[in-house]
Amino acid sequence: MSDTATRQRTQPAAADDPRLRDHTQSRSYLALLALTVVLAVLPLVLSERVESIAIRTMIFAIMAVGWNLMSGYGGMFSFGHAAFFGIGAYTDAYLLVEHGVSPWIAMALGAIISAAAGTLIAFLCLRYKLAGSYFALATFAFAQMFLLVVQNLDFLRKTLGYNIPILPRDSWAMMQFAQGSDYYFWIPAGLLVLALAITIAFVGSRSGQYTQAVRDDEVAAASLGIKVLRYRLFAVALSCAVTSVAGSYYTQYYFFVGPEQAFGGSVSIEAIIPAVIGGIGTIWGPIVGALVVGPLSELIATVLRNPPEVLGFLQGVTGLDVAVYAALLIIIVLFMPKGIYGTIRERWRK
């Protein structure tokens, strides 16, 4: 054997060179750890009213993280994520009210059902070459179909929805605690941390890299042997499962869910807007966006309920939140096309 061949065999592979390793994933996990610590202590210093706003914001954030997996990293813009939020919400309500099943089990089952439904819907859309705006319209159509079906099914109580029975005592198994309990904050905080951990792991995995390659150039990815459909459907399944978890917790926190609260068009908007405002295709963009949208939503509701004298004409006006979101989106698209976090990250790297 020649000296050259020997050196080639004993020399470490370039991929094993520590200088070439990507430390982004490690930094993301460290940031997630810091966020976990902050979320753990936050309810200890928040008032009950602010804490309720924070909980709603975290529900927004979980939805946005789920949507971002499919639309940001997968490149398949969905305008029908209300379907998967609603599946989670109704699975939780139906199993708890009708069969006494623990919300924890119902949450897991809802995630599985949502993942299966989302995968089937995406498969049908991709199988028949629905892409871009056509794919978005198809997802919206499916969400509306779910809404109409639920409104006309007797065993799902049609338009009446479900009221979650309130227990006389605390119960971890049934996810119920005394009013104002910090557990109502810590549970969605834990679910949000889990959703972010899934995102970080996915983005750093081979499946995540292949999914992003397909998003950037489907033809080139296919020519390299990447199974385009397989990795797209995997991203869809993860996205739908995470979104479903947000729906399940929504039901448990508000003790009620109806067709409009679960499958209404505004639900899909609440999943999209935080991700767009924060930065699509980034790990932390949906969180930044939710921090903007959550308090803003509460501020708008407060103004509509009890406006100052100069804004008295706004009292009782409907649709103001949508108008404000639309204006905010226009501003973001014009001046920060990559979202708040995406733009800041890009400028920081320069």
Side-chain angles (χ1 to χ4, degrees):
M1 184 181 295
S2 67
D3 291 341
T4 303
T6 302
R7 283 196 301 272
Q8 288 175 344
R9 293 190 59 177
T10 57
Q11 210 169 24
D16 296 328
D17 190 337
R19 294 171 299 178
L20 300 180
R21 291 177 185 170
D22 186 1
H23 296 289
T24 302
Q25 192 173 31
S26 298
R27 290 196 297 269
S28 295
Y29 279 123
L30 286 174
L32 181 60
L33 178 60
L35 177 63
T36 304
V37 173
V38 171
L39 291 175
V41 300
L42 203 54
L44 304 178
V45 298
L46 295 180
S47 67
E48 188 172 337
R49 174 173 170 75
V50 175
E51 188 171 322
S52 67
I53 297 173
I55 291 169
R56 181 172 176 81
T57 299
M58 286 190 288
I59 294 174
F60 279 145
I62 296 170
M63 293 168 61
V65 169
W67 182 88
N68 191 47
L69 281 166
M70 176 176 172
S71 302
Y73 290 108
M76 296 165 285
F77 192 94
S78 168
F79 204 69
H81 255 50
F84 316 116
F85 179 90
I87 289 174
Y90 261 81
T91 299
D92 182 276
Y94 174 77
L95 292 178
L96 174 59
V97 175
E98 303 293 347
H99 302 285
V101 176
S102 168
W104 299 102
I105 297 174
M107 183 180 288
L109 290 174
I112 293 170
I113 295 170
S114 291
T119 301
L120 177 60
I121 291 170
F123 174 79
L124 292 174
C125 292
L126 297 173
R127 172 69 177 78
Y128 292 101
K129 308 297 183 183
L130 295 179
S133 57
Y134 295 104
F135 183 90
L137 289 172
T139 58
F140 175 76
F142 275 107
Q144 289 300 109
M145 182 187 73
F146 277 109
L147 173 62
L148 293 174
V149 168
V150 169
Q151 286 177 333
N152 289 278
L153 286 178
D154 287 324
F155 84 96
L156 291 179
R157 304 189 180 185
K158 294 188 174 181
T159 57
L160 296 177
Y162 282 97
N163 287 295
I164 304 300
I166 300 176
L167 302 178
R169 62 189 182 281
D170 289 2
S171 173
W172 262 101
M174 290 299 172
M175 209 185 294
Q176 285 197 30
F177 313 96
Q179 184 177 358
S181 171
D182 290 336
Y183 290 124
Y184 283 119
F185 181 97
W186 283 322
I187 290 174
L191 295 174
L192 177 59
V193 168
L194 178 61
L196 287 168
I198 290 172
T199 301
I200 295 169
F202 172 72
V203 171
S205 69
R206 179 174 297 182
S207 297
Q209 297 297 318
Y210 285 170
T211 301
Q212 293 173 76
V214 172
R215 174 200 64 189
D216 295 338
D217 194 326
E218 179 182 344
V219 175
S223 69
L224 293 173
I226 296 175
K227 305 294 184 183
V228 171
L229 184 60
R230 175 192 299 176
Y231 291 107
R232 277 185 163 173
L233 293 181
F234 182 66
V236 169
L238 277 181
S239 171
C240 297
V242 170
T243 305
S244 174
V245 167
S248 296
Y249 188 74
Y250 176 93
T251 299
Q252 286 303 126
Y253 181 66
Y254 289 104
F255 292 97
F256 172 78
V257 67
E260 284 295 334
Q261 289 80 16
F263 297 99
S266 61
V267 177
S268 293
I269 294 173
E270 290 173 349
I272 297 169
I273 288 180
V276 174
I277 289 175
I280 297 176
T282 65
I283 293 171
W284 306 106
I287 307 302
V288 173
L291 288 173
V292 173
V293 172
L296 180 62
S297 174
E298 183 63 25
L299 177 62
I300 294 170
T302 301
V303 169
L304 292 180
R305 283 195 303 266
N306 188 24
E309 187 176 345
V310 69
L311 298 176
F313 64 93
L314 292 177
Q315 188 164 15
V317 174
T318 59
L320 180 63
D321 54 344
V322 176
V324 172
Y325 290 157
L328 188 59
L329 279 175
I330 292 171
I331 293 171
I332 292 293
V333 168
L334 288 176
F335 298 101
M336 293 183 172
K338 294 187 178 180
I340 297 172
Y341 174 78
T343 302
I344 293 173
R345 184 184 65 172
E346 184 179 70
R347 292 178 180 175
W348 177 267
R349 287 178 175 177
K350 289 181 179 180

